Amino acid sequence: MIRSFLRTALRHLFKNRLYAGLNILGLSVGLACFAIIGMWAQRHFSFDRMHMKGRRIYQVNTTVFNEVVSLKQAITPAPLAHALVNDLPEIENTVRIDPSGSVVQAGTQQYVEEGIIATDPSFFQFFDFKLLKGNSAVALSEPYSVVISEHVAKKYFGDSDPINQSLRIFQYDPQGNGADYKVTGIIENCPSNSHFTYSMLVSFKTIEVAEPESLTQEGWRNNEYYTYVMLKPLTPVHSLESKLPSFFEKYVGKEADGQKSNYFLTPLAEIHFSSDVKYPIQAGVSKAYIITLSAIGMIVLVLACFNYVSLATAYSLDQFTEVGIRKTLGASRRQVALQYLTESWLIAIIAMVASIGLIELAKPAFESIFGMELVGLYDPITLLTLFGVASLAGVLSGIYPSLMLSSFKTIEIVKGQFGKGTSGTRLRKSLVVVQYTTTIVLITGIITMTRQLNYIRNKDLGFRQDDLLLLATNGSPEVMPGYQGFANEVLSSPGMVGVARSNSGIGGGGLDRSLASIETAEGAHAEVNIFTLGIDHQYISTYEMGLVAGRSFIPGNASDSTRGYVINEAAVRAYGYRDASDALGKFFSLQGRDGEIIGVVKDFHFATMRERIEPVAMFLLNGYFSRITVRMNDDIAGNTLLLTNLWKKHFPGSVVDFSFLEDRLQGAYRTEDRFSKTFLVFSIVSVIIASLGLFALVSYHVERRVKEIGIRKILGGTVAGISAMLSKEFFFMVLSACILAIPIGWYFMDVWLQNFAYHISIDAGIFVWAALVNVVIATATVGLKTFWSATRNPVDSLRRE
């Protein structure tokens, strides 16, 4: 019987190629979207799941809070690890991580190497990364020892054995000339689904030797490192966390840097999803983001199933004669239903095979959007899941059409009395309204996101961001003493506008917080936590920051070098001054450097627009700097080449490491950009699927009124009049979808915009544009079918009846 059902289904699908093609197209697109999102979500949920002891591993995080805000941060002090394992019996072991990048030299060749992690020997007890050569017990026990990845071993040593050989790394070396690190092991390349990635592992003992103060009481106030604990088996984490407040008070005090703080624990498997924690090793992703996109993938599949129901019922008119003959020959209702369920299932399986081809075609584009590799398509579990979902979708989509077809009695079919009820029509109309409501919500989302990203790109940042090139010094001993000669030659070049130094970079975060003392508007001295930025005399003018009161730093003014501070408007407001000029001359002390406020600059976005602008204090550098900023004219390519040559001329022993500030700023919103692009893709897919559903309903509607159309044409009805008559009720359906979509779209977009401290407002124009897009598409879809029906020869219509 099954063979007969399959043979009959194939014959019917071949006969109705348009019907089969539309169904296969809709289902294959829906299945492809579902599978792509599923693989992407599975990739995210696989982060840090490869470690056998992962359920017992937690990252120690810090909460900093006051009456107004609560800030979570991943960084902790260096002495924390030893204190935790000594004081708290629930903890079996600890490990510290300090990720960074540095210049690495092998022979005469220098490279900027990212992913250099300083860590403890216990690293190998925590994480199950395979050590290919070396002894894990001693590989990181001595200072200035390094374990390198397979990739780095090949890069620096080729086919020779790197064990016991040396690499010069310009890191943790007091003289700044680089230090020789002994290679003690080779570790497998870090998998991409880890919340941190490494190219080299450096012994944490190196930091303790180079910076002994990091382990003193002063080190408790220096949050730069990442600390992990391994709990003893069966230890409840809440019992440990209940002890952390008293532990914090014992070593740090009731307050840290003038603010209340405490430690809390984040499970290893949840670190990747801790998007609300500042200063992570790598930027995480919100679970809400993953759930939202997963829901969209499911919605697209459901819309494709809705299409099947609409298409199946629309084209079922051609099958009633066949059903009547089958029933006349003795077929039962169950057999008729099974026949059409088999056909539905077969369409779904063909669509599943087609979806695999679509996935292969679309995978490179989605990998580019998602920023990660999509793997596992041909894993047995993935294929079985896809087969199961396709089969379920096919059966569920075919239940209503099969039951509808099998329910009619033979006498009704002979008399032409089938399809008289309204329940089926209501269902089909409801499905189309749901499809277009979903589509309008998605289009509303893409318009809102595009406007927000454009707002971010075009908003005044408080400085001019274009044509700024950042050069990293990477601790080079050549750059600091040779800077002035380099800067003079840069400024003498016609394509250069300005050059400046700083100890940190702005745009996307990166400034340090420090404890300061300031004279408030009431005349009292308050201890405050403020962001700091060390700059030179040219920095403010090079970035074209606007002064609103006072002055900038003056070259040759000795007082500025030791006592001068420039703050931003946010600091003026935070400390109670009514006007920026009121803050001038007021006492300000930072890290024991007493002075006064000499100027106030316009607020500038040193972090992303997710955070509000906070108080900043700028002071003149005293020797060390980490970045050089050069403002160029419009000849970017030519000026970049010129700067590269000047760098090599003045600093021949230092690698050139540059980036553009605009690229850095855009990179800070990479998650939002990917989210926006994904929304765009699924909006397009949703529109296509909704249009197919509307086309199916129009087809069904027109087929039921073939006789009426023919009579109207014979009686003088015009093509325009008949088309308008057929189209009218569909526009009411689209209008209903618009009305339903407004509150839904408004709610979800308002929630998304709350992620930004600075954002656009949702106005009616967003929904007007979304509705117009859908109306135009619906008009084209409806108009195509109704115009074709209205222009048919009425004799053909009546002959068919």
Side-chain angles (χ1 to χ4, degrees):
M1 181 180 292
I2 298 298
R3 183 182 300 177
S4 173
F5 283 168
L6 289 173
R7 184 169 57 248
T8 303
L10 285 171
R11 187 184 301 122
H12 181 257
L13 294 178
F14 184 77
K15 178 182 177 183
N16 298 278
R17 288 184 290 275
L18 177 61
Y19 158 76
L22 290 175
N23 259 327
I24 291 170
L25 174 62
L27 280 176
S28 62
V29 169
L31 287 168
C33 292
F34 173 80
I36 287 172
I37 291 295
M39 288 190 293
W40 171 78
Q42 177 58 35
R43 188 64 175 167
H44 278 292
F45 282 106
S46 73
F47 266 67
D48 301 308
R49 305 280 177 157
M50 72 285 292
H51 308 296
M52 291 183 62
K53 300 176 183 177
R55 292 182 180 273
R56 294 196 284 137
I57 299 173
Y58 293 80
Q59 186 184 66
V60 184
N61 296 155
T62 308
T63 301
V64 182
F65 55 93
N66 54 37
E67 295 79 5
V68 181
V69 296
S70 175
L71 172 69
K72 297 177 182 178
Q73 57 186 35
I75 48 178
T76 54
L80 174 64
H82 293 316
L84 283 170
V85 77
N86 290 334
D87 286 21
L88 302 174
E90 294 90 346
I91 295 176
E92 180 179 303
N93 207 345
T94 59
V95 67
R96 295 166 294 183
I97 283 178
D98 181 28
S100 62
S102 180
V103 174
V104 178
Q105 181 175 329
T108 59
Q109 296 296 316
Q110 289 187 345
Y111 302 92
V112 176
E113 202 70 59
E114 299 295 335
I116 300 177
I117 289 180
T119 188
D120 296 301
S122 54
F123 178 89
F124 297 106
Q125 300 172 32
F126 273 70
F127 307 111
D128 296 331
F129 301 119
K130 188 176 180 181
L131 191 65
L132 305 177
K133 284 189 177 182
N135 185 341
S136 62
V138 298
L140 295 174
S141 60
E142 296 296 325
Y144 297 100
S145 58
V146 60
V147 174
I148 60 177
S149 66
E150 295 175 90
H151 169 74
V152 169
K154 187 71 174 177
K155 177 179 178 179
Y156 289 100
F157 298 100
D159 296 327
S160 63
D161 187 0
I163 300 297
N164 294 325
Q165 296 196 52
S166 295
L167 286 172
R168 175 153 288 225
I169 303 176
F170 290 81
Q171 190 177 59
Y172 312 126
D173 53 316
Q175 287 74 36
N177 297 316
D180 290 329
Y181 286 70
K182 180 182 177 181
V183 178
T184 56
I186 300 176
I187 192 172
E188 66 175 333
N189 292 328
C190 189
S192 59
N193 58 339
S194 172
H195 78 277
F196 62 82
T197 56
Y198 57 77
S199 60
M200 301 179 176
L201 303 178
V202 174
S203 168
F204 205 93
K205 287 280 187 182
T206 309
I207 299 178
E208 297 175 354
V209 170
E211 303 170 5
E213 68 281 359
S214 64
L215 296 179
T216 65
Q217 184 59 36
E218 184 61 31
W220 280 96
R221 296 186 178 275
N222 184 16
N223 290 317
E224 290 186 8
Y225 310 99
Y226 299 87
T227 305
Y228 299 79
V229 297
M230 183 187 296
L231 305 190
K232 292 179 180 178
L234 304 179
T235 298
V237 66
H238 59 83
S239 68
L240 174 60
E241 285 191 308
S242 66
K243 297 181 179 181
L244 293 180
S246 58
F247 173 89
F248 185 91
E249 184 175 344
K250 174 182 176 181
Y251 287 97
V252 186
K254 290 186 178 181
E255 294 186 356
D257 293 339
Q259 299 190 78
K260 296 179 181 179
S261 302
N262 192 21
Y263 296 128
F264 68 96
L265 303 179
T266 300
L268 178 65
E270 295 297 317
I271 295 174
H272 179 63
F273 305 110
S274 301
S275 58
D276 59 336
V277 177
K278 293 180 69 68
Y279 316 119
I281 299 179
Q282 290 184 359
V285 60
S286 169
K287 273 190 178 179
Y289 175 38
I290 297 175
I291 292 171
T292 299
L293 286 187
S294 299
I296 291 174
M298 181 63 73
I299 287 169
V300 170
L301 178 60
V302 171
L303 293 181
C305 293
F306 284 178
N307 261 10
Y308 180 85
V309 175
S310 296
L311 285 165
T313 52
Y315 281 88
S316 61
L317 292 173
D318 294 332
Q319 298 176 258
F320 277 109
T321 302
E322 180 184 343
V323 171
I325 294 173
R326 282 178 178 275
K327 286 199 168 187
T328 301
L329 296 176
S332 66
R333 180 179 180 181
R334 176 175 173 273
Q335 289 175 320
V336 173
L338 283 176
Q339 169 62 55
Y340 290 102
L341 277 176
T342 302
E343 182 178 312
S344 176
W345 175 82
L346 184 61
I347 287 176
I349 297 306
I350 296 172
M352 184 203 77
V353 175
S355 72
I356 294 175
L358 290 177
I359 293 169
E360 288 291 354
L361 290 173
K363 193 163 72 168
F366 275 97
E367 287 178 340
S368 175
I369 293 173
F370 293 145
M372 66 167 54
E373 185 181 6
L374 298 176
V375 297
L377 175 60
Y378 297 106
D379 287 348
I381 294 178
T382 303
L383 291 176
L384 283 173
T385 301
L386 195 59
F387 177 81
V389 171
S391 298
L392 183 64
V395 171
L396 291 178
S397 301
I399 284 177
Y400 174 75
S402 63
L403 292 178
M404 183 193 70
L405 283 169
S406 62
S407 65
F408 290 110
K409 298 177 181 178
T410 306
I411 190 65
E412 291 176 339
I413 297 173
V414 172
K415 293 182 177 181
Q417 294 176 348
F418 52 82
K420 297 289 186 180
T422 60
S423 60
T425 301
R426 288 172 181 167
L427 173 64
R428 288 184 289 272
K429 289 181 179 180
S430 299
L431 294 180
V432 171
V433 171
V434 170
Q435 287 177 315
Y436 268 88
T437 300
T438 305
T439 299
I440 294 170
V441 170
L442 290 176
I443 293 177
T444 299
I446 190 62
I447 293 174
T448 304
M449 291 177 187
T450 301
R451 285 191 178 184
Q452 175 64 18
L453 291 175
N454 287 336
Y455 170 79
I456 290 171
R457 296 186 186 103
N458 299 321
K459 188 180 185 300
D460 180 13
L461 300 180
F463 60 89
R464 192 159 72 87
Q465 59 180 307
D466 54 309
D467 302 333
L468 286 177
L469 184 139
L470 308 179
L471 290 156
T473 66
N474 292 306
S476 169
E478 292 182 311
V479 177
M480 271 166 272
Y483 169 77
Q484 201 56 56
F486 171 77
N488 290 339
E489 192 160 356
V490 168
L491 290 174
S492 65
S493 304
M496 307 301 171
V497 179
V499 60
R501 295 165 289 174
S502 64
N503 67 355
S504 188
I506 63 174
L511 299 191
D512 294 327
R513 278 180 180 265
S514 294
L515 188 64
S517 178
I518 186 171
E519 182 182 351
T520 65
E522 292 77 21
H525 284 204
E527 297 293 310
V528 298
N529 202 272
I530 192 169
F531 285 97
T532 62
L533 178 63
I535 62 175
D536 66 5
H537 300 86
Q538 288 75 36
Y539 191 89
I540 291 176
S541 60
T542 299
Y543 275 78
E544 299 185 11
M545 294 179 176
L547 274 167
V548 295
R551 60 178 176 83
S552 182
F553 299 108
I554 300 174
N557 188 324
S559 176
D560 284 359
S561 301
T562 58
R563 293 182 51 81
Y565 291 95
V566 175
I567 62 174
N568 64 347
E569 293 175 297
V572 171
R573 294 189 298 270
Y575 309 133
Y577 296 104
R578 290 191 302 175
D579 189 76
S581 60
D582 294 338
L584 299 179
K586 295 297 192 264
F587 173 82
F588 192 93
S589 178
L590 181 65
Q591 297 177 346
R593 182 179 182 266
D594 295 345
E596 63 180 11
I597 299 170
I598 63 171
V600 178
V601 295
K602 180 181 177 182
D603 277 339
F604 60 93
H605 289 273
F606 61 88
T608 69
M609 292 190 195
R610 301 183 195 95
E611 297 89 24
R612 291 207 165 273
I613 297 174
E614 296 193 54
V616 177
M618 294 183 282
F619 58 91
L620 283 178
L621 292 165
N622 184 19
Y624 176 80
F625 59 92
S626 61
R627 286 174 178 80
I628 299 172
T629 303
V630 179
R631 180 173 292 285
M632 307 177 292
N633 63 18
D634 294 333
D635 184 13
I636 302 300
N639 290 328
T640 302
L641 179 60
L642 174 62
L643 279 173
T644 301
N645 292 332
L646 288 176
W647 183 276
K648 291 178 179 178
K649 174 183 175 181
H650 287 270
F651 316 120
S654 303
V655 66
V656 183
D657 182 12
F658 68 85
S659 60
F660 289 95
L661 181 60
E662 282 188 296
D663 294 338
R664 178 176 175 172
L665 293 172
Q666 293 305 315
Y669 303 101
R670 189 172 289 114
T671 298
E672 287 77 15
D673 186 55
R674 287 171 177 166
F675 200 29
S676 173
K677 289 177 180 176
T678 306
F679 249 76
L680 176 61
V681 171
F682 285 114
S683 295
I684 294 172
V685 171
S686 176
V687 167
I688 293 172
I689 291 177
S691 298
L692 288 175
L694 185 59
F695 182 81
L697 186 58
V698 173
S699 300
Y700 179 81
H701 182 72
V702 168
E703 290 298 320
R704 290 191 62 191
R705 302 177 70 174
V706 167
K707 181 189 293 186
E708 178 187 349
I709 293 170
I711 294 172
R712 285 180 178 274
K713 288 205 70 177
I714 291 173
L715 296 177
T718 63
V719 171
I722 294 174
S723 297
M725 175 198 69
L726 295 173
S727 304
K728 182 173 60 176
E729 66 178 288
F730 299 106
F731 290 115
F732 284 114
M733 292 164 54
V734 175
L735 179 61
S736 300
C738 293
I739 295 172
L740 288 173
I742 288 174
I744 299 172
W746 193 296
Y747 172 77
F748 283 109
M749 287 303 98
D750 183 66
V751 170
W752 183 76
L753 287 172
Q754 296 311 310
N755 292 316
F756 299 89
Y758 303 89
H759 57 77
I760 63 170
S761 59
I762 302 176
D763 55 48
I766 293 174
F767 299 99
V768 170
W769 278 108
L772 282 176
V773 169
N774 277 274
V775 167
V776 169
I777 294 170
T779 300
T781 304
V782 174
L784 178 68
K785 181 66 179 179
T786 55
F787 180 80
W788 177 80
S789 301
T791 54
R792 288 176 63 183
N793 190 329
V795 175
D796 294 336
S797 301
L798 294 176
R799 182 187 297 122
R800 175 178 172 182
E801 289 294 319

